[in-house]
Each structure stands twice: as structure tokens, then as C-alpha cells.
Amino acid sequence: MACKKTCKKYIAINSDSTHARYAIGQKRCGTCEIFLVWDHDNNCPCCGHKLRIKPKNARLKRQYNKILKQKQQQEQLERSKDQSTFQINWI
């Protein structure tokens, strides 16, 4: 199917760096040729084609994976802090 231009209401705001678009949850439709903020599924709300959720370029893939790894480490650190404060409060 072709682009019906209904996806324009889901268009993503350009981030400071292009490699961070996928890391912050934006998805790209190759048919409509835009980045979208769409959390319902991995299909374009306009044309129905599958959205790209990871970069194609090898350099951008490395940067994307690095950002995801940093996010995971930060989440683990926050969880460990929450658990330690819970244990202190429980005692």
C-alpha cells in the first residue's frame, strides 16, 4: 500500500543526534520515509508496512547498542539502590 499521509500526526521530532532516534523509541517507516512515535505495534498506522526499530548502518548499530547497554546498567543501578533502601527501611 502507498502512504495515505495519515502518519503525519505521529511524526517524530528530530533529536539532537540521528543515532539516538531508535534508542529513544522512534521508529522509521520506509514507505512513508519518516520517523514515527508509535508504540502500539511495529506496523505503520498509515500504510501498514513493518516499521524499522533498529538502525541499518553498522556504525549507528554500534552506537545504538552502546546507548542501550548504558540504559540497562543505569536501570540495574537504580534497582539496586531501591532494594538497598527498602532493606534499610525494613530493618
Side-chain angles (χ1 to χ4, degrees), residues 66-81:
K66 183 179 177 182
I67 291 171
L68 287 184
K69 187 175 180 180
Q70 289 173 350
K71 281 184 178 181
Q72 289 174 349
Q73 289 174 347
Q74 185 178 8
E75 288 174 0
Q76 287 177 349
L77 181 64
E78 289 174 3
R79 272 190 255 128
S80 65
K81 284 181 182 179

Side-chain angles (χ1 to χ4, degrees), residues 19 22 52 54-68:
H19 67 272
Y22 294 105
R52 191 177 333 140
K54 292 182 180 179
K56 282 185 174 181
N57 186 313
R59 180 181 56 87
L60 296 178
K61 281 182 185 179
R62 285 192 299 271
Q63 291 174 348
Y64 170 77
N65 289 332
K66 183 179 177 182
I67 291 171
L68 287 184

Side-chain angles (χ1 to χ4, degrees), residues 13-61:
I13 298 171
N14 193 4
S15 66
D16 294 336
S17 57
T18 57
H19 67 272
R21 284 185 164 237
Y22 294 105
I24 60 175
Q26 295 180 2
K27 300 174 183 180
R28 177 159 171 75
C29 179
T31 304
C32 302
E33 297 181 353
I34 60 171
F35 278 92
L36 304 169
V37 178
W38 182 251
D39 296 329
H40 301 292
D41 58 7
N42 288 339
N43 295 323
C44 181
C46 175
C47 64
H49 282 97
K50 189 172 180 179
L51 297 173
R52 191 177 333 140
I53 57 174
K54 292 182 180 179
K56 282 185 174 181
N57 186 313
R59 180 181 56 87
L60 296 178
K61 281 182 185 179

